[in-house]
Amino acid sequence: MKKSQRSIRNLQMIRAYEVKELKERPFSVRVANLLTAYFGTAKFFMYVFLVSIIWIVINLGVIPGVVPFDPYPFILLTMIASVGAIFLTIIVLISQNQQSRINTMRNELLLQMIFITERELTKALQLIVADSKRSKVLSKYDPELTEMLKTTDVGWIEKKLEEQINGKK
């Protein structure tokens, strides 16, 4: 299989996972995603902005014949905005949690692909060096090349990352 075909297959695997994950979302998460998509628009912002301005103007008592129902300091408006912010926060968190699961899987897949690529590149470099030595093209010692020919110790890298995360040196 050609490399480009393999890359396309890998992309299809990623998309297939996302499609599967999106299809298997619980109803509450689907609703949260739809609401988050709407709440994150300029249209929704303008709607909230205009309603707030109209509310304030009505309740300042500047329109003759209109009786304020929530006079300054607009306690009802403040309460509605606060409760709305609480619900909006929860809805956004639900959507973010679901997206986080997809991103975690994508990152894990990417990490696996990086490890495979690193292993393949190391092997290719070893073959090139072996061929260069046979044809006597490679003549002098190269410490950087010697280091590159070593297989990466993923366990050591993981241990060092854990030490850094836990604050150890």
Side-chain angles (χ1 to χ4, degrees), residues 3-168:
K3 187 175 181 177
S4 62
Q5 290 174 327
R6 193 171 40 183
S7 297
I8 291 169
R9 194 178 87 223
N10 290 338
L11 286 174
Q12 289 170 338
M13 286 173 36
I14 295 168
R15 282 192 206 112
Y17 173 76
E18 287 188 46
V19 167
K20 179 182 170 214
E21 182 71 23
L22 291 172
K23 283 182 181 177
E24 293 178 356
R25 295 174 295 177
F27 178 73
S28 60
V29 174
R30 276 186 256 165
V31 170
N33 287 348
L34 288 171
L35 291 173
T36 302
Y38 175 68
F39 293 152
T41 64
K43 182 179 179 180
F44 179 74
F45 171 77
M46 291 306 296
Y47 172 72
V48 171
F49 180 75
L50 289 173
V51 168
S52 299
I53 295 298
I54 292 168
W55 185 293
I56 291 169
V57 169
I58 288 172
N59 288 291
L60 284 175
V62 295
I63 301 174
V66 177
V67 180
F69 58 90
D70 184 26
Y72 182 81
F74 316 115
I75 293 172
L76 183 59
L77 176 62
T78 303
M79 184 198 67
I80 291 170
S82 297
V83 170
I86 290 168
F87 282 111
L88 182 62
T89 301
I90 292 167
I91 289 167
V92 168
L93 287 173
I94 291 169
S95 289
Q96 284 180 340
N97 284 339
Q98 191 258 342
Q99 187 59 47
S100 177
R101 282 191 300 277
I102 291 173
N103 289 340
T104 298
M105 180 56 109
R106 185 181 294 140
N107 290 339
E108 181 64 30
L109 181 60
L110 180 61
L111 183 62
Q112 294 300 324
M113 294 304 297
I114 289 169
F115 288 147
I116 291 168
T117 302
E118 187 279 332
R119 193 173 64 235
E120 290 172 349
L121 287 174
T122 300
K123 185 63 177 177
L125 191 58
Q126 290 169 347
L127 292 171
I128 291 169
V129 167
D131 189 48
S132 296
K133 284 180 180 177
R134 270 193 303 276
S135 61
K136 299 181 181 174
V137 172
L138 192 64
S139 59
K140 68 176 196 165
Y141 172 74
D142 184 345
E144 185 178 18
L145 178 60
T146 304
E147 189 64 32
M148 292 168 78
L149 290 169
K150 294 178 184 176
T151 303
T152 302
D153 185 356
V154 177
W156 180 84
I157 294 172
E158 186 177 350
K159 180 182 172 197
K160 289 297 179 186
L161 285 173
E162 285 177 0
E163 288 175 0
Q164 288 177 9
I165 290 169
N166 295 327
K168 297 177 185 176

